[in-house]
Amino acid sequence: VALSPNNVAYTLLLVDSLERGDKGDAALSAVNDGLEQHPSHPALMLKQVRLSGKVNPSGVRLALSRLLVLGKPADLPDPELAYLALQAKDDSLAHEAFQRSADAGLLSGQSYGDAAFTALRLKLDRQALSLFAKGVDALSNLTLEETLATRGRAAEQVLMYRQATAEVSRTWGVTASLT
């Protein structure tokens, strides 16, 4: 990288090796250095967002907004974008990404729950109820191997989703009776 600072592939290789060596801070620093040379290189910007999510959660918002100015990169899947947006505290972007993921069938049981809680924060109760139901269905239909892999958390999540659904439904009932 020092001998050929204009070669982005070398910078990305350095970043990957630092990240795999559990040197997240150094990897983020290398990405930032690379972005000084190539300020709008999409692969470097995406690495910056992903590393910021792990190393510097407060920097995710700025890095993500800079990346999305160029448009969503093809190698950033919507589920990952949704979780990065949640880290950046951007519920509307997260909700949009979760919706695209749900439409494409890319969400799991827990992801449906995260999408539902995001919808609740945006006051989209009907969508949240639908997402909670899909999350309960997905978690209830796990195979034996998947159930063992979750170590019983699936049952806890189903209970939490059902409680949240009851709470949202009860709120509607109270509103209707007061009216």
Side-chain angles (χ1 to χ4, degrees):
V1 173
L3 294 175
S4 183
N6 290 330
N7 191 332
V8 176
Y10 290 163
T11 303
L12 289 169
L13 184 61
L14 172 64
V15 169
D16 285 342
S17 62
L18 288 170
E19 189 177 9
R20 287 188 182 120
D22 291 330
K23 296 182 180 178
D25 290 331
L28 184 58
S29 177
V31 166
N32 291 336
D33 292 345
L35 282 169
E36 287 179 14
Q37 295 288 326
H38 310 279
S40 60
H41 193 280
L44 288 172
M45 295 174 81
L46 182 54
K47 278 285 187 192
Q48 183 187 42
V49 171
R50 287 176 172 158
L51 285 168
S52 293
K54 296 176 186 174
V55 176
N56 180 16
S58 61
V60 172
R61 179 177 217 114
L62 178 61
L64 187 59
S65 63
R66 275 189 285 184
L67 175 67
L68 293 177
V69 165
L70 301 174
K72 181 181 148 306
D75 53 345
L76 179 61
D78 280 323
E80 183 179 359
L81 174 61
Y83 284 107
L84 288 169
L86 285 178
Q87 285 181 327
K89 299 187 181 348
D90 187 341
D91 285 337
S92 345
L93 178 61
H95 178 68
E96 291 170 14
F98 275 130
Q99 283 301 115
R100 286 191 303 270
S101 299
D103 293 343
L106 300 174
L107 294 183
S108 66
Q110 180 178 351
S111 299
Y112 277 116
D114 295 336
F117 285 118
T118 302
L120 279 179
R121 286 192 297 278
L122 293 172
K123 309 289 187 225
L124 301 170
D125 293 349
R126 289 181 191 211
Q127 286 182 3
L129 288 171
S130 171
L131 290 165
F132 279 131
K134 289 178 183 177
V136 168
D137 289 344
L139 289 170
S140 297
N141 294 326
L142 293 178
T143 65
L144 179 60
E145 293 82 22
E146 291 170 328
T147 304
L148 293 174
T150 63
R151 297 188 194 127
R153 290 187 307 247
E156 292 173 16
Q157 288 176 327
V158 167
L159 178 62
M160 180 174 49
Y161 298 165
R162 286 184 176 153
Q163 288 172 339
T165 299
E167 183 67 30
V168 173
S169 299
R170 183 172 39 251
T171 302
W172 284 1
V174 169
T175 303
S177 66
L178 288 176
T179 302

